[in-house]
Amino acid sequence: MLRNRLIDGVRRLKPILCGGQSLRSLSNGATSKLTTIEVDDRSGIATLSMNLPPVNTLTMELMHDLIDSINQIESNKSRGLILTSSNDKVFSAGLDLNEMLNPEVERLRLFWTRFQDLWLALHLCCLPTAAAINGHSPAAGCVLATACEYRVMLPNLFIGIHATRFSFVISKWMMNSYQSVLPRRVVERALNQGKLFATQEALNVGLVDEIACSKEEALSKCAAFIATFDKTNPVARCLTKRMCREPDVRELLQDRAADLKECVDYVTTPLFQEGLCAHLEGLKKRK
Amino acid sequence: MLRNRLIDGVRRLKPILCGGQSLRSLSNGATSKLTTIEVDDRSGIATLSMNLPPVNTLTMELMHDLIDSINQIESNKSRGLILTSSNDKVFSAGLDLNEMLNPEVERLRLFWTRFQDLWLALHLCCLPTAAAINGHSPAAGCVLATACEYRVMLPNLFIGIHATRFSFVISKWMMNSYQSVLPRRVVERALNQGKLFATQEALNVGLVDEIACSKEEALSKCAAFIATFDKTNPVARCLTKRMCREPDVRELLQDRAADLKECVDYVTTPLFQEGLCAHLEGLKKRK
Amino acid sequence: MLRNRLIDGVRRLKPILCGGQSLRSLSNGATSKLTTIEVDDRSGIATLSMNLPPVNTLTMELMHDLIDSINQIESNKSRGLILTSSNDKVFSAGLDLNEMLNPEVERLRLFWTRFQDLWLALHLCCLPTAAAINGHSPAAGCVLATACEYRVMLPNLFIGIHATRFSFVISKWMMNSYQSVLPRRVVERALNQGKLFATQEALNVGLVDEIACSKEEALSKCAAFIATFDKTNPVARCLTKRMCREPDVRELLQDRAADLKECVDYVTTPLFQEGLCAHLEGLKKRK
């Protein structure tokens, strides 16, 4: 029951749940470079594109720019937010795994906190959100897509959280994004297998909502979804969305430090370091 | 784990969870006027009809009579309860929104508490329950239907919780009724959109279980559902039902005052009052 | 967030969550007689067969041997575990109801604790698990099957938790196994009805994943499921599985005594004793 706390947040027109105190200062006066925002003057919908070649790896910087852009779009009272990639092969390749290889603990803490911030900003964004998935979307790429309210995907791509394949154990809040769109039985099996779903499979289980033949069509389907909220009161919609998502974020918001500690403890085990090393070697060979 | 508390309740043949202390006194000796109860002597099933023209608006009085009737049917050891409307156009139009317009706070508190009581009485009713939805069922009408265990609906009607369209934010326990029958992904989207489902759509997503061509057929399908419990022990059935529903009611039962305060705080905001005003104006114009 | 506690458990190669302190001593030097384990040298998969004629009733002894075998298979680092029956008519007939008839309380406490231990051992088993359901699987037989990660069933059998038909009220953790594979709406209705699903129905709702024509084919389909984890890191897989299942076990692990007390209190009520008596009489007559 966080309606009151949320109302306060909405009243102040600044989501209280999205941390970001430090982020705002970081972004002071800076132009966002790794993301672009295009607002359609007619529809009022903002398209947020990840633009970090070659594969939109979620680096510290890209995550910063994403959070900054989400906050900016939210405060400009856009009618909705569409997340996409300026790269037609990869939506996002997921977290920057180099930050997890032999990490310096303080840097790792900053990196994970940034990812928590990004997920909270997108998962609790007051605006209607949709993902136009115009490229592969593995791991944290999939987490971002499932944090949106709607997903349209192009054919012949894959999407999924394949963390167990590189020895990683995701946090519960990441699982919750999966659980918010997939049946419980599918979630457990897919996470355990580290399954990557082809576009059609993803549609069949409900991981994506529609298939589109082109990026243009994907964007237009996302816009049509956002238009389904036209008759609703934006504040009531925002509070309702957050009520629905409150169980997903409750543990994280109550104890972010615990999640951070768990992550650091696990990432620094020899078990994970060896698994990650082998995975990165495999990726190099494939190139 | 509330098996023990529930057993106590069942033993005393009075549901402990359903408040109602004050209700019993209110109904002392009074004949219920806004609802009718018909018990089929052959099947032992009680049909509870809402009977407040023109559209079964859930006023303070109709809610009182519904609670009273549910309790009466439960203590008479009927074999099951079918909720329906004596009006073939509207099952129930939902809460009496006039109680929320410029409310006197004490009255609003009484009104919301009454609605909590009604939901608890129906959601936790020991008997098998089914709704014969023979008319439109928006907002709290839909909440009542989903608090039953089975739903049969006539064609060309709509059902759904469209609160965001009149700036209202429902309580979590109301969402839980939705969640108990619909997949998580459908719940969030439908609540955010304030979606009203046409009969066939409602069947497709699982919001109703069957379609019937007439009220008579709907009642008969409800009776057939109630008969599926014939081989079960009624007390074990009741305790099992309540175990399944315990997570839905836990927060509310642990802190009803918090839900009440949230409701009052929200309803008395200018934001909601303006939204409600505009909505009521719109309704008047449509007439 | 129990990743750290789980890592510790995995490191010590002994699941911390599975109790069993007393079990280990019980099994010291003893050969397991009511279960057999066959390990396929080529695949590394262990097949665990229940082997207590006539119907694999879960007696104190069979449950002991099952826990012992699960632990043994887990510590031998098998590649996966397939649970099946050496009896082609019945997978398992469920708990030994004689232990619940006019029970001596201390013995009942031991019996229920044993069942909790068995469920925890199977539900949280680090290895990939699958059930080859080659015979009827009512009540606790169904609970064991749903505690596995995959189910393959032979035709013309039934499976389900029909506790309400013999006046029993299951514990919440047993419901959670059901909930982990079935939609919420199906769970409540099936539990309330005490529904037994025929093989094809079970497939339709998702209670089983595949149908096989012979036990051999069932075992081979289970092995194929287990092979889907070949590319995953076993420790990361185990931690991920346990994270997914943590909400199912949380209450039980936090307060096993409360569940035990509830069970004893309920089983010793005249209500249940009378219901059970009638049920056992009915079973005798059918023979």
Side-chain angles (χ1 to χ4, degrees):
Chain A
M1 298 185 185
L2 78 176
R3 194 155 38 167
N4 286 327
R5 274 193 295 140
L6 288 172
I7 292 175
D8 292 343
V10 171
R11 279 202 193 123
R12 283 184 276 118
L13 278 173
K14 180 73 211 160
I16 48 162
L17 299 173
C18 299
Q21 203 64 26
S22 60
L23 284 164
R24 244 174 291 151
S25 63
L26 276 174
S27 72
N28 253 355
T31 324
S32 187
K33 287 169 192 161
L34 306 179
T35 55
T36 59
I37 301 175
E38 284 179 282
V39 181
D40 182 319
D41 283 340
R42 230 165 24 120
S43 70
I45 294 174
T47 299
L48 168 56
S49 300
M50 294 179 272
N51 187 21
L52 173 58
V55 291
N56 285 327
T57 298
L58 294 168
T59 60
M60 197 81 97
E61 293 71 30
L62 177 53
M63 292 199 286
H64 169 273
D65 288 356
L66 277 167
I67 298 169
D68 200 47
S69 296
I70 294 167
N71 288 340
Q72 195 183 322
I73 292 169
E74 212 168 1
S75 27
N76 286 350
K77 304 191 177 180
S78 299
R79 198 159 129 256
L81 181 162
I82 301 175
L83 181 65
T84 192
S85 161
S86 54
N87 170 336
D88 258 346
K89 288 206 176 117
V90 180
F91 178 76
S92 162
L95 289 175
D96 183 359
L97 294 178
N98 291 310
E99 294 279 1
M100 298 200 174
L101 191 65
N102 303 317
E104 196 267 308
V105 168
E106 269 321 297
R107 171 88 187 178
L108 177 59
R109 292 173 59 87
L110 213 63
F111 181 73
W112 196 252
T113 303
R114 184 71 52 87
F115 185 41
Q116 291 176 336
D117 281 333
L118 171 56
W119 182 80
L120 287 168
L122 191 57
H123 197 68
L124 297 177
C125 175
C126 258
L127 303 175
T129 55
I133 308 167
N134 57 328
H136 297 304
S137 189
C142 175
V143 173
L144 291 191
T146 51
C148 294
E149 297 170 47
Y150 201 74
R151 280 151 296 285
V152 183
M153 190 163 167
L154 268 61
N156 303 317
L157 298 173
F158 55 76
I159 183 172
I161 301 177
H162 68 311
T164 55
R165 301 208 175 190
F166 51 93
S167 305
F168 192 60
V169 178
I170 63 170
S171 285
K172 210 173 153 194
W173 46 274
M174 295 160 77
M175 174 183 75
N176 289 345
S177 272
Y178 233 33
Q179 208 132 265
S180 72
V181 296
L182 293 173
R184 166 73 196 275
R185 185 174 38 130
V186 174
V187 169
E188 179 182 310
R189 210 167 281 169
L191 288 180
N192 287 347
Q193 292 172 330
K195 185 175 175 67
L196 293 168
F197 296 84
T199 300
Q200 186 62 49
E201 275 183 299
L203 183 74
N204 294 347
V205 296
L207 184 49
V208 304
D209 298 288
E210 288 194 81
I211 298 182
C213 293
S214 64
K215 183 177 177 181
E216 197 184 2
E217 193 191 344
L219 291 172
S220 134
K221 281 174 186 288
C222 286
F225 170 73
I226 289 169
T228 63
F229 299 102
D230 280 1
K231 289 183 188 160
T232 64
N233 176 287
V235 176
R237 201 204 86 92
C238 172
L239 296 173
T240 301
K241 173 177 176 177
R242 289 184 173 183
M243 176 187 63
C244 291
R245 296 185 167 205
E246 188 268 340
D248 299 338
V249 302
R250 193 185 298 163
E251 275 184 60
L252 179 58
L253 287 178
Q254 276 170 1
D255 197 355
R256 287 180 70 157
D259 178 63
L260 186 57
K261 183 179 181 327
E262 282 208 348
C263 172
V264 170
D265 286 355
Y266 183 75
V267 164
T268 52
T269 54
L271 168 84
F272 174 69
Q273 287 300 319
E274 284 159 26
L276 181 60
C277 240
H279 179 69
L280 293 174
E281 286 299 316
L283 287 183
K284 273 186 204 160
K285 277 180 198 153
R286 251 197 272 165
K287 281 178 190 169
Chain B
M1 296 185 186
L2 80 176
R3 193 153 43 167
N4 287 327
R5 274 191 297 140
L6 288 173
I7 291 176
D8 292 344
V10 171
R11 278 199 193 123
R12 284 183 275 119
L13 277 173
K14 181 70 211 160
I16 49 162
L17 299 174
C18 300
Q21 203 64 24
S22 60
L23 284 164
R24 243 174 293 151
S25 63
L26 278 174
S27 71
N28 253 355
T31 324
S32 185
K33 287 168 193 162
L34 306 179
T35 55
T36 60
I37 301 174
E38 285 179 282
V39 181
D40 181 319
D41 284 340
R42 227 163 27 117
S43 70
I45 295 174
T47 299
L48 169 54
S49 299
M50 293 178 274
N51 187 21
L52 173 58
V55 292
N56 286 326
T57 298
L58 293 168
T59 60
M60 197 82 97
E61 295 71 28
L62 177 52
M63 291 199 286
H64 170 273
D65 288 357
L66 276 168
I67 298 169
D68 202 46
S69 296
I70 293 167
N71 288 340
Q72 195 183 322
I73 291 170
E74 210 168 2
S75 27
N76 286 350
K77 303 191 179 181
S78 300
R79 199 158 129 259
L81 182 162
I82 300 175
L83 181 65
T84 192
S85 160
S86 54
N87 170 337
D88 258 345
K89 288 206 178 120
V90 180
F91 178 76
S92 163
L95 289 175
D96 183 0
L97 295 178
N98 292 311
E99 293 280 2
M100 298 200 173
L101 192 63
N102 303 318
E104 196 267 305
V105 169
E106 268 322 297
R107 172 87 186 178
L108 177 60
R109 291 173 59 87
L110 213 62
F111 182 72
W112 195 252
T113 304
R114 185 70 52 87
F115 184 41
Q116 290 176 337
D117 280 333
L118 171 55
W119 182 80
L120 286 168
L122 191 57
H123 197 68
L124 297 177
C125 176
C126 258
L127 303 175
T129 54
I133 307 166
N134 58 327
H136 297 304
S137 189
C142 174
V143 173
L144 292 191
T146 50
C148 294
E149 299 169 45
Y150 202 73
R151 281 150 296 286
V152 183
M153 190 164 168
L154 268 61
N156 304 318
L157 299 172
F158 56 77
I159 183 171
I161 301 177
H162 67 311
T164 54
R165 301 209 174 189
F166 50 93
S167 306
F168 192 59
V169 179
I170 63 170
S171 286
K172 210 173 154 193
W173 46 272
M174 296 161 76
M175 173 183 75
N176 289 345
S177 272
Y178 233 33
Q179 207 132 266
S180 72
V181 296
L182 293 172
R184 165 75 195 275
R185 186 174 38 129
V186 175
V187 169
E188 179 182 309
R189 211 167 280 170
L191 288 180
N192 287 348
Q193 291 172 331
K195 184 174 175 67
L196 293 168
F197 296 84
T199 300
Q200 186 62 49
E201 274 183 299
L203 183 74
N204 294 347
V205 296
L207 184 50
V208 304
D209 298 288
E210 287 194 82
I211 298 182
C213 293
S214 64
K215 183 177 178 182
E216 198 185 4
E217 192 192 345
L219 291 171
S220 136
K221 281 175 186 288
C222 287
F225 170 74
I226 290 170
T228 62
F229 300 102
D230 281 0
K231 290 183 187 160
T232 64
N233 176 286
V235 177
R237 202 204 84 92
C238 172
L239 295 174
T240 301
K241 173 177 175 176
R242 288 186 172 180
M243 176 186 64
C244 291
R245 297 185 167 207
E246 188 268 341
D248 299 338
V249 302
R250 193 185 298 164
E251 274 184 59
L252 180 58
L253 287 177
Q254 277 170 1
D255 197 355
R256 288 181 69 158
D259 178 63
L260 186 57
K261 182 177 183 326
E262 283 209 348
C263 173
V264 170
D265 286 354
Y266 184 75
V267 164
T268 52
T269 54
L271 167 84
F272 174 69
Q273 288 300 319
E274 284 159 27
L276 181 61
C277 239
H279 179 71
L280 293 174
E281 286 299 317
L283 287 182
K284 272 186 205 160
K285 276 179 198 154
R286 252 198 274 164
K287 279 178 191 168
Chain C
M1 297 185 187
L2 80 176
R3 194 153 42 164
N4 287 326
R5 275 193 295 139
L6 288 172
I7 292 175
D8 292 343
V10 171
R11 278 200 194 125
R12 284 184 275 118
L13 278 172
K14 180 69 211 161
I16 48 161
L17 300 172
C18 299
Q21 204 65 25
S22 60
L23 286 164
R24 243 174 292 150
S25 62
L26 277 174
S27 72
N28 254 354
T31 324
S32 187
K33 286 168 194 162
L34 306 179
T35 54
T36 59
I37 301 174
E38 283 179 283
V39 180
D40 182 319
D41 283 340
R42 228 167 24 121
S43 71
I45 294 174
T47 299
L48 168 55
S49 301
M50 294 178 274
N51 187 22
L52 174 58
V55 292
N56 286 328
T57 299
L58 293 168
T59 60
M60 197 81 98
E61 294 71 30
L62 177 53
M63 291 200 286
H64 169 272
D65 288 356
L66 276 167
I67 297 169
D68 202 46
S69 297
I70 293 167
N71 288 339
Q72 195 182 322
I73 291 169
E74 211 168 2
S75 26
N76 286 349
K77 305 193 177 181
S78 299
R79 199 159 128 257
L81 182 162
I82 300 175
L83 181 65
T84 192
S85 160
S86 54
N87 170 336
D88 259 345
K89 287 206 177 117
V90 180
F91 177 76
S92 163
L95 288 176
D96 184 0
L97 295 178
N98 291 310
E99 294 279 2
M100 298 201 173
L101 192 64
N102 304 318
E104 195 268 306
V105 168
E106 270 320 297
R107 171 87 187 177
L108 177 60
R109 292 173 59 86
L110 213 62
F111 181 73
W112 195 252
T113 303
R114 184 69 52 87
F115 184 41
Q116 291 176 336
D117 281 332
L118 171 56
W119 182 80
L120 287 169
L122 192 57
H123 197 68
L124 297 177
C125 176
C126 258
L127 304 175
T129 55
I133 308 166
N134 58 326
H136 297 304
S137 189
C142 174
V143 173
L144 292 190
T146 50
C148 294
E149 297 169 45
Y150 202 74
R151 282 150 294 286
V152 183
M153 190 163 167
L154 267 61
N156 304 317
L157 299 172
F158 56 77
I159 183 171
I161 301 178
H162 68 310
T164 54
R165 301 208 174 190
F166 51 94
S167 305
F168 192 59
V169 179
I170 64 170
S171 285
K172 211 173 153 194
W173 46 273
M174 296 160 77
M175 174 183 74
N176 290 345
S177 272
Y178 234 33
Q179 207 132 267
S180 72
V181 296
L182 294 172
R184 166 73 195 275
R185 184 174 40 129
V186 174
V187 168
E188 179 182 310
R189 211 167 280 170
L191 287 180
N192 287 348
Q193 293 172 330
K195 184 174 176 66
L196 293 168
F197 296 83
T199 300
Q200 185 62 49
E201 275 183 299
L203 183 74
N204 294 347
V205 295
L207 184 49
V208 304
D209 298 288
E210 287 195 81
I211 298 182
C213 294
S214 64
K215 183 178 177 182
E216 198 185 3
E217 193 191 344
L219 291 171
S220 135
K221 281 174 185 290
C222 286
F225 171 73
I226 289 169
T228 62
F229 300 102
D230 280 1
K231 289 185 187 157
T232 64
N233 176 286
V235 176
R237 202 205 86 92
C238 173
L239 295 174
T240 301
K241 173 177 176 176
R242 289 185 172 180
M243 176 186 63
C244 291
R245 297 185 166 206
E246 188 268 341
D248 299 338
V249 302
R250 194 185 298 164
E251 274 184 59
L252 179 59
L253 287 177
Q254 277 170 1
D255 197 356
R256 288 180 69 157
D259 178 63
L260 186 57
K261 183 176 180 329
E262 282 208 349
C263 172
V264 170
D265 286 354
Y266 183 75
V267 165
T268 52
T269 54
L271 167 84
F272 174 70
Q273 288 300 318
E274 284 159 24
L276 181 61
C277 239
H279 178 70
L280 293 174
E281 287 299 318
L283 288 183
K284 273 185 204 159
K285 277 178 198 154
R286 252 197 272 165
K287 282 178 190 170

